[in-house]
């Protein structure tokens, strides 16, 4: 296993709980087995899928051998993510041949959208190919398969937000939940396949978001993460696309709800409900979002702010919409308003034409920000993106790897140093579960998204407790309840 695999696996596990999520739900007489890969949005989508199918009398199972339906919710972001799915399909194939010949196999999500009918040609075992905007059609598509035909729906919508669907909470701890607020992405970063697989950006009706968060809180949930590819560009003015906003009457413009207004509305639900959000795009993050974070203590002091590269030349080639100086100035504004704000990043090593000096710019900017955490990747060329069409993937694999290792090492140093500065301090932690390493310990997170591990004492999962940090690693704070 090379470093990319290792780091990505670690990263994904941290980002979405588990790389391979097998979800379970009781009742219903037909069985659905669903695995999700990739971003948090995919995990959230699987909960929508389970909800749609629960109305068709499907309940989920962890045992693939008893499943009527076997779904894999896929990711296309890097080549490796797609290879993982192909490997899973090989396994499904052998299960179908041996222990469960009647199972129906469906591929959902970004790979389904990218490969469309081709998937069925390439993988004979696949019966269903369904893109991210077509999940409402699943009952019809399943019927089509039962009638003996393969089924494909990869229609991308400009409106679908699944706003009215109450997700079935599958993988949860009952304490933290994802709530999706936008779908799709209009940013067209030149390396990224998401705009092609998830379509145009659209915002979800705020009333349905508030209702979902209120219900979660009344069920005992204590933290919601508002999800979107680009949360800062959230905009609701009655359901229209963002690009048409400029044409609506002024009086309606004032009533529109942007991301900072949405944040405040969710924050007001209850001060014991924590709010996180992901992902912020530096080009869209506004000062009023920072102001809302400052105003409401239950909006966590943590921003995931992907950088991708520290070189202005590369950022321009990536079409990121900001340069090095603008990014630094955003960091300065955040730190000025919220000095205690934790910041994490995404970084790509070895993008087309990247030189040693561009790479040095990345390391240099990392030293400026001193991120608390990082999700770091080697550039992986994706079919049909602008980068694939216009630029040459000309940084040799060994160079990409070498630079990635340097980025990871520097990040490790910063994570450790930042955590060391937390020793001796006291933080409020929301308890999420029992520590993986010790049954007598809980784990939870601080507002900064730092994981803390501490002895249980009399506390219980879902409690807010104050803990004092006495030791740390780069990834964990060791603490005691005070
Ligand atoms: N919406 C988010 C990113 C979504 S994809 C944003 O605003 O940036 C998650 C991360 O995967 C990206 O931030 C990027 O670092 C990485 N990524 C996307 N496409 C990639 C590619 N072709 N090769 C390597 N990493 C990629
Ligand atoms: Fe991808 Fe850029 Fe959107 S990284 S998801 S195109 S913000």
């Amino acid at each position: 296993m090379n470093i990319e695999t290792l780091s990505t696996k670690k990263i994904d596990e941290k980002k979405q709980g588990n790389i391979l999520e097998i979800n379970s739900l009781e009742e219903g007489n037909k069985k659905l087995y669903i695995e999700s890969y990739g971003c948090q949005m995919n995990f959230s989508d699987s909960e929508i899928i389970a909800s749609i199918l629960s109305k068709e009398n499907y309940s989920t199972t962890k045992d693939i051998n008893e499943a009527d339906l076997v779904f894999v919710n896929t990711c296309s972001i890097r080549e490796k993510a797609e290879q993982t799915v192909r490997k899973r399909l090989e396994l499904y194939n052998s299960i179908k041949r041996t222990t469960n010949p009647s199972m129906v196999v469906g591929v959902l999500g970004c790979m389904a959208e990218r490969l469309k009918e081709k998937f069925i040609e390439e993988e004979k075992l696949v019966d269903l190919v369904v893109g991210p905007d077509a999940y409402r059609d699943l009952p019809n598509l399943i019927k089509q398969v039962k009638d003996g035909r393969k089924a494909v729906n990869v229609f991308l919508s400009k409106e679908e937000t699944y706003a009215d669907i109450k997700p079935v909470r599958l993988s949860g701890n009952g304490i933290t939940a994802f709530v999706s607020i936008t779908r799709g992405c209009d940013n067209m970063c030149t390396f990224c396949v998401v705009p092609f697989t998830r379509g145009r950006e659209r915002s979800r009706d705020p009333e349905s978001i508030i209702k979902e968060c209120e219900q979660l809180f009344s069920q005992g949930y204590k933290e919601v993460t508002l999800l979107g590819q680009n949360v800062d560009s959230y905009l609701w003015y009655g359901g229209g696309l963002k690009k048409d906003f400029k044409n609506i009457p002024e009086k309606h413009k004032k009533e529109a709800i942007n991301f900072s207004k949405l944040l405040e509305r969710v924050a007001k639900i209850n001060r014991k409900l924590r709010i996180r959000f992901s992902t912020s795009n530096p080009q869209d993050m506004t000062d009023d979002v920072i102001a809302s974070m400052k105003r409401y203590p239950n909006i966590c002091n943590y921003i995931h702010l992907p950088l991708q590269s520290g070189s202005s030349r590369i950022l321009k080639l990536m079409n990121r919409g900001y340069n090095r100086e603008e990014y630094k100035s955003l960091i300065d504004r955040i730190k000025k308003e919220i000095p205690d704000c934790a910041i994490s990043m995404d970084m790509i090593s070895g993008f087309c034409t990247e030189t040693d000096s561009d790479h040095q710019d990345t390391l240099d900017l990392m030293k400026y920000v001193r991120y608390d955490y990082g999700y770091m990747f080697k550039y992986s060329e994706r079919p049909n993106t602008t980068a694939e069409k216009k630029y040459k993937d000309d940084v040799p694999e060994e160079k990409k790897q070498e630079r990635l290792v340097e980025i990871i090492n520097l990040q490790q140093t910063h994570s450790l140093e930042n955590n060391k500065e937390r020793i001796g301090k006291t933080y409020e932690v929301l308890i999420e579960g029992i520590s993986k390493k010790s049954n007598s310990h809980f784990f939870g997170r601080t507002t900064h998204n730092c994981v803390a591990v501490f002895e249980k004492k009399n506390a219980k999962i879902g409690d807010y407790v104050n803990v004092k940090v006495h030791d740390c690693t780069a990834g964990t704070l060791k603490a005691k309840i005070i």
Side-chain angles (χ1 to χ4, degrees), residues 15 77-78 191-194 228-230 279-281 306 308 320 346-348 375 377-382:
K15 214 170 184 177
I77 202 84
R78 283 167 291 276
F191 53 80
C192 186
V193 78
V194 171
Q229 297 300 339
N230 191 8
T279 300
S280 295
N281 192 303
Q308 317 297 8
R320 285 293 290 181
D346 289 347
M347 203 76 85
I348 298 177
Y375 302 91
F377 315 98
K378 274 189 289 191
Y379 173 57
S380 163
E381 187 177 80
R382 306 312 293 135

Side-chain angles (χ1 to χ4, degrees), residues 27-92:
E27 292 168 32
N29 52 25
K30 290 178 279 180
K31 299 284 181 203
L32 162 70
Y33 172 96
I34 182 163
E35 285 181 9
S36 312
Y37 293 86
C39 65
Q40 291 159 337
M41 191 64 97
N42 255 9
F43 283 72
S44 163
D45 279 0
S46 290
E47 299 187 333
I48 287 169
I49 292 160
S51 173
I52 292 169
L53 290 182
S54 70
K55 306 221 166 35
E56 302 293 310
N57 228 3
Y58 280 93
S59 62
T60 52
T61 173
K62 288 182 180 179
D63 181 2
I64 191 166
N65 292 307
E66 65 161 19
D68 301 285
L69 273 182
V70 174
F71 279 179
V72 54
N73 197 353
T74 61
C75 170
S76 283
I77 202 84
R78 283 167 291 276
E79 200 184 339
K80 202 162 275 160
E82 294 204 349
Q83 284 163 359
T84 310
V85 169
R86 299 276 186 182
K87 287 229 174 68
R88 292 307 288 172
L89 289 175
E90 276 172 32
L91 178 79
Y92 296 173

Side-chain angles (χ1 to χ4, degrees), residues 48 75 86 90 114 125 184 192-193 244 251 277 281 287 289 291 317 344 372 393 404 453-454 456 479-480:
I48 287 169
C75 170
R86 299 276 186 182
E90 276 172 32
R114 195 177 84 67
L125 134 112
C192 186
V193 78
D244 300 324
K251 70 174 180 32
F277 51 89
N281 192 303
D287 289 345
V289 169
L317 285 181
S344 62
D372 291 270
D393 183 11
L404 179 68
V453 175
F454 44 89
K456 284 178 175 171
K480 275 198 177 72

Side-chain angles (χ1 to χ4, degrees), residues 25-268:
L25 162 86
E26 266 108 58
E27 292 168 32
N29 52 25
K30 290 178 279 180
K31 299 284 181 203
L32 162 70
Y33 172 96
I34 182 163
E35 285 181 9
S36 312
Y37 293 86
C39 65
Q40 291 159 337
M41 191 64 97
N42 255 9
F43 283 72
S44 163
D45 279 0
S46 290
E47 299 187 333
I48 287 169
I49 292 160
S51 173
I52 292 169
L53 290 182
S54 70
K55 306 221 166 35
E56 302 293 310
N57 228 3
Y58 280 93
S59 62
T60 52
T61 173
K62 288 182 180 179
D63 181 2
I64 191 166
N65 292 307
E66 65 161 19
D68 301 285
L69 273 182
V70 174
F71 279 179
V72 54
N73 197 353
T74 61
C75 170
S76 283
I77 202 84
R78 283 167 291 276
E79 200 184 339
K80 202 162 275 160
E82 294 204 349
Q83 284 163 359
T84 310
V85 169
R86 299 276 186 182
K87 287 229 174 68
R88 292 307 288 172
L89 289 175
E90 276 172 32
L91 178 79
Y92 296 173
N93 218 342
S94 75
I95 293 171
K96 187 159 177 139
R97 272 189 276 111
T98 52
T99 49
N100 189 356
S102 63
M103 74 194 211
V104 168
V105 177
V107 181
L108 298 93
C110 288
M111 252 178 113
E113 192 63 49
R114 195 177 84 67
L115 292 161
K116 305 185 169 57
E117 287 81 6
K118 236 170 89 190
F119 225 125
I120 288 180
E121 289 157 28
E122 287 173 10
E123 307 273 354
K124 297 280 173 275
L125 134 112
V126 173
D127 304 300
L128 272 160
V129 176
V130 190
D133 287 345
Y135 298 144
R136 281 184 207 267
D137 197 25
L138 275 168
N140 295 327
L141 297 167
I142 293 166
K143 192 169 172 298
Q144 195 173 317
V145 172
K146 295 266 159 78
D147 290 345
R149 284 170 296 148
K150 302 251 172 181
V152 180
N153 188 343
V154 287
F155 175 73
L156 280 177
S157 159
K158 285 186 182 148
E159 288 98 31
E160 181 62 273
T161 58
Y162 300 109
D164 56 317
I165 293 184
K166 193 165 171 264
V168 167
R169 304 288 162 192
L170 292 171
S171 50
N173 49 12
I175 306 298
T176 60
F178 297 129
V179 174
S180 85
I181 64 161
T182 68
R183 293 183 74 83
C185 187
D186 284 351
N187 274 351
M188 298 302 276
C189 301
T190 56
F191 53 80
C192 186
V193 78
V194 171
F196 303 95
T197 58
R198 289 193 159 265
R200 298 304 302 263
E201 183 185 290
R202 63 221 99 118
S203 297
R204 176 179 169 190
D205 182 343
E207 301 311 323
S208 75
I209 298 172
I210 304 297
K211 196 169 138 212
E212 189 175 331
C213 294
E214 281 172 349
Q215 280 174 347
L216 284 165
F217 187 70
S218 68
Q219 288 162 14
Y221 283 81
K222 297 282 173 58
E223 183 181 298
V224 290
T225 301
L226 306 180
L227 281 187
Q229 297 300 339
N230 191 8
V231 285
D232 298 272
S233 76
Y234 178 89
L235 182 69
W236 179 264
Y237 62 98
L241 285 177
K242 188 165 181 175
K243 72 174 176 51
D244 300 324
F245 182 66
K246 53 182 183 305
N247 304 326
I248 68 166
E250 278 312 312
K251 70 174 180 32
H252 292 321
K253 276 189 186 158
K254 286 204 187 76
E255 287 158 18
I257 298 201
N258 62 14
F259 185 54
S260 82
K261 285 187 187 157
L262 179 74
L263 265 181
E264 298 205 356
R265 284 202 56 191
V266 181
K268 278 184 203 152

Side-chain angles (χ1 to χ4, degrees), residues 14 372-373 412 415-416 419 449-452 472-477:
K14 182 147 180 184
D372 291 270
Y373 197 80
Q412 279 289 103
S415 296
L416 183 61
N419 271 355
N449 211 32
C450 294
V451 173
C472 72
T473 64
T476 313
L477 301 175

Side-chain angles (χ1 to χ4, degrees), residues 20 211 289-290 321 331 402 446 457:
L20 178 75
K211 196 169 138 212
V289 169
I290 304 171
I331 295 286
E402 202 181 287
T446 68
K457 296 245 177 102

